[in-house]
Amino acid sequence: MASPVEDDVFGKLKNKADHKQNDDDLNARNFAQHQRSQERLAELIDDNTSLPVTISSVRVLHANRTRRSFLERVVNPILSANRDEQYTLEEALKEVGNATEKLNRFGIFKSPISVFLDRPDPTNPTSSPTDVDVYISAQERGTYTIKTGTEVGSSEGDAYINAELRNLFGGAETLNANASLGTRTRSAYSLAFESPILSNPDFKFQLNGFASSTLKSWASHEEVLRGGNSKLLWRTKNGHQHEFGYSGILRQVTSLAENASPTVRAEAGNSFKSSITHTWINDQRDNPMMPQRGYLAKTVSELAGYGPLKGDVACWKSEAESQVVLPFGDTGITLTAGLRGGLLYPLALGGNSTPQQSRINDRFQLGGPTNVRGFRLCGLGPHDGPDAVGGDVFAAGGASLLFPVPKVGKETPLRLQAFINGGRLLSLKNSNKEGGPMDADAVHSSVKKTLAGLRDGVPSAAAGFGLVYAHPIARFEINFSLPLVIRAKEEARKGLSFGVGVEFL
């Protein structure tokens, strides 16, 4: 026979179980009611998409640090008073959604941004039956973020600290300060200011100052950079990105190794580069780190030391890149193929009629785990003794077949990879028999011969397989590579290699 104490304990436990069951039932009923109300709201909107609507006012709530004039440029265009034609309910909801999405892209508000619609006060004599008030609840993010950490990859490790100040003057301005110390990039400091123009997240101005010291282990020297740049960035309606900028950089080739080659020793010292640049990107891939479909087209052009541009470096430098990604149905298997090429064309500096020879700071480098795999970092192209001295013309291409890891699934950002890639990197051939400076005609002839030389023989190439992981910040690859074609003086790398980056061939 149970004691009164035992009966009391079992009774309390039963009451608790009953209360929990009641709470679960209540939550289930509330959730079902919410779902039904959402469905009724969707049906109501669907049944009234052609209903005439007038947006009489738009109010942005909780944006206390953001300037009123800044917000007005975003929301005023959707007011009916600023339109010639009347809205339908469908059109009004679409325009409100576009304005909300624009606010979200400034990066100063917490996501998601909520939108509420309400009828105005019916006792107001100025209101009409079609009037609707729009309320946008935009909670502002914190004024600053500080990050510290370490990074390892591509033969380099470093520690960094980053500080970001947001919405400095109430117009989505950002100030970003960064400092890092590492093994290859021994030190790097930068201070960047960015501001949207006319409250447009697709039209921005940037001002950046920086200083860095990088050990160029493949060329027996250290490069020290100090300078700044300014940029205008804009995105078109069809998704094309443009970047136009000016930069002034003091470069120093210093701390030469004891076994530095004569080519590197001749480059030692200071140079000042004054240049304008333009970058165009058309990225239609669904994911830049591990795309499943789409294509990429990109060009980068730079003009230095020509006309009003000062400094002691004069050249035209151009690069082009393309990539296409083809899926094999819904299997998660994709074929990625890409091509890259570049040309460095020396120009005459100022009133001098003799074009300059290119400098090691400006020449292209090729080879490594993020471009032509199976070769050491900067292992392709011209070498002088132990040093990779770079080239003026290059072409590279590759293809990768990515497929899901068995028992892991195609939904994960993990893939197996089989690849083949290759490339050529050449320096301009000096047509002057005496080896001295070339005139403009000789340079033009040399460029044509060098471009034709890209087709001479089989390019340096390698094949292999590996594992790829696509993180939202960077892509990680570990591959086993087997060099297939190695040209004289080039440095191949057979076996395992590890690569971290944003752009891969």
Side-chain angles (χ1 to χ4, degrees):
M1 181 175 179
S3 68
V5 175
E6 290 174 333
D7 290 339
D8 185 58
V9 170
F10 285 118
K12 289 182 178 179
L13 291 175
K14 184 177 183 301
N15 288 337
K16 287 184 178 180
D18 292 341
H19 283 307
K20 185 178 184 304
Q21 182 64 39
N22 291 337
D23 290 341
D24 291 341
D25 293 341
L26 180 62
N27 290 334
R29 287 196 298 271
N30 289 337
F31 179 76
Q33 184 177 0
H34 175 73
Q35 289 291 98
R36 287 194 296 270
S37 65
Q38 291 297 315
E39 291 172 0
R40 287 196 298 269
L41 180 60
E43 292 174 0
L44 182 63
I45 292 175
D46 289 338
D47 294 339
N48 295 275
T49 54
S50 59
L51 189 72
V53 168
T54 303
I55 298 180
S56 56
S57 69
V58 180
R59 300 180 184 179
V60 181
L61 308 177
H62 312 299
N64 301 321
R65 297 193 308 272
T66 306
R67 295 196 310 268
R68 180 183 179 90
S69 59
F70 176 84
L71 295 172
E72 286 178 346
R73 287 195 183 98
V74 178
V75 301
N76 277 357
I78 69 175
L79 290 172
S80 294
N82 297 325
R83 284 173 53 93
D84 296 330
E85 299 180 359
Q86 192 176 30
Y87 282 118
T88 63
L89 179 59
E90 182 180 19
E91 292 170 343
L93 292 175
K94 181 179 179 181
E95 290 300 320
V96 171
N98 291 339
T100 303
E101 194 268 339
K102 181 180 286 188
L103 288 174
N104 192 53
R105 282 191 286 130
F106 287 118
I108 61 174
F109 300 110
K110 296 179 181 179
S111 184
I113 297 176
S114 303
V115 179
F116 307 93
L117 303 181
D118 195 11
R119 291 285 190 182
D121 185 358
T123 62
N124 188 346
T126 62
S127 64
S128 68
T130 61
D131 281 354
V132 171
D133 292 334
V134 178
Y135 297 87
I136 301 176
S137 178
Q139 296 281 351
E140 292 177 326
R141 297 175 62 192
T143 56
Y144 68 92
T145 299
I146 298 178
K147 297 179 181 179
T148 61
T150 58
E151 295 177 341
V152 178
S154 297
S155 305
E156 181 178 13
D158 60 36
Y160 68 89
I161 180 171
N162 175 268
E164 182 182 67
L165 302 179
R166 287 183 290 270
N167 209 13
L168 287 178
F169 309 115
E173 303 88 358
T174 301
L175 185 66
N176 195 300
N178 186 76
S180 65
L181 300 174
T183 54
R184 182 157 63 89
T185 302
R186 294 186 172 180
S187 63
Y189 307 94
S190 66
L191 185 66
F193 174 79
E194 180 180 283
S195 174
I197 299 174
L198 299 176
S199 302
N200 187 350
D202 294 326
F203 190 27
K204 298 180 180 180
F205 170 75
Q206 285 184 354
L207 188 64
N208 183 32
F210 55 85
S212 67
S213 176
T214 305
L215 178 64
K216 307 287 187 177
S217 57
W218 60 86
S220 301
H221 71 275
E222 184 177 346
E223 183 183 49
V224 178
L225 303 178
R226 298 184 182 90
N229 58 55
S230 58
K231 299 177 183 178
L232 281 176
L233 304 94
W234 68 96
R235 181 193 297 267
T236 62
K237 291 183 179 180
N238 55 8
H240 294 199
Q241 301 176 49
H242 293 269
E243 177 184 304
F244 182 80
Y246 167 80
S247 63
I249 307 173
L250 176 64
R251 297 104 55 89
Q252 185 180 35
V253 175
T254 184
S255 301
L256 272 61
E258 293 183 0
N259 61 340
S261 64
T263 302
V264 173
R265 293 186 180 278
E267 297 282 347
N270 297 335
S271 65
F272 181 74
K273 184 178 182 179
S274 175
S275 65
I276 55 175
T277 59
H278 174 261
T279 301
W280 168 76
I281 302 174
N282 181 18
D283 191 351
Q284 301 297 329
R285 299 172 299 177
D286 56 354
N287 186 325
M289 297 300 172
M290 186 179 289
Q292 299 298 302
R293 64 183 70 247
Y295 65 90
L296 165 72
K298 178 180 178 180
T299 63
V300 181
S301 303
E302 180 182 24
L303 178 64
Y306 186 80
L309 297 172
K310 303 300 181 182
D312 53 7
V313 178
C315 65
W316 167 264
K317 188 176 182 179
S318 182
E319 295 181 68
E321 177 182 356
S322 64
Q323 186 182 86
V324 62
V325 185
L326 302 174
F328 289 86
D330 195 31
T331 62
I333 302 175
T334 58
L335 175 65
T336 302
L339 291 173
R340 293 181 186 175
L343 169 65
L344 178 60
Y345 195 106
L347 301 174
L349 182 64
N352 191 350
S353 60
T354 303
Q356 290 189 322
Q357 292 184 343
S358 60
R359 294 176 178 266
I360 195 171
N361 318 66
D362 300 306
R363 296 183 198 126
F364 299 108
Q365 297 283 359
L366 196 62
T370 61
N371 49 69
V372 182
R373 308 171 186 87
F375 291 84
R376 293 191 179 277
L377 193 64
C378 305
L380 273 72
H383 283 66
D384 185 1
D387 299 329
V389 296
D392 305 292
V393 177
F394 84 94
S400 300
L401 186 66
L402 287 87
F403 44 96
V405 178
K407 298 183 180 181
V408 174
K410 63 182 180 180
E411 292 78 15
T412 65
L414 192 66
R415 292 290 187 275
L416 293 172
Q417 172 181 239
F419 68 87
I420 183 169
N421 57 200
R424 293 287 306 276
L425 176 63
L426 304 174
S427 58
L428 292 182
K429 302 180 184 298
N430 194 335
S431 59
N432 190 331
K433 296 181 180 180
E434 297 178 358
M438 297 184 291
D439 58 24
D441 292 337
V443 169
H444 183 69
S445 175
S446 178
V447 169
K448 291 177 63 177
K449 291 180 180 178
T450 306
L451 288 172
L454 291 174
R455 302 192 299 268
D456 292 343
V458 180
S460 302
F465 59 90
L467 192 64
V468 179
Y469 174 73
H471 189 272
I473 298 177
R475 172 166 162 160
F476 299 80
E477 290 191 3
I478 182 168
N479 295 305
F480 178 86
S481 304
L482 178 64
L484 304 176
V485 180
I486 308 172
R487 291 183 170 269
K489 297 185 178 180
E490 292 185 341
E491 298 181 358
R493 182 189 179 99
K494 178 182 178 181
L496 290 176
S497 62
F498 180 67
V500 180
V502 176
E503 297 181 353
F504 284 76
L505 184 62

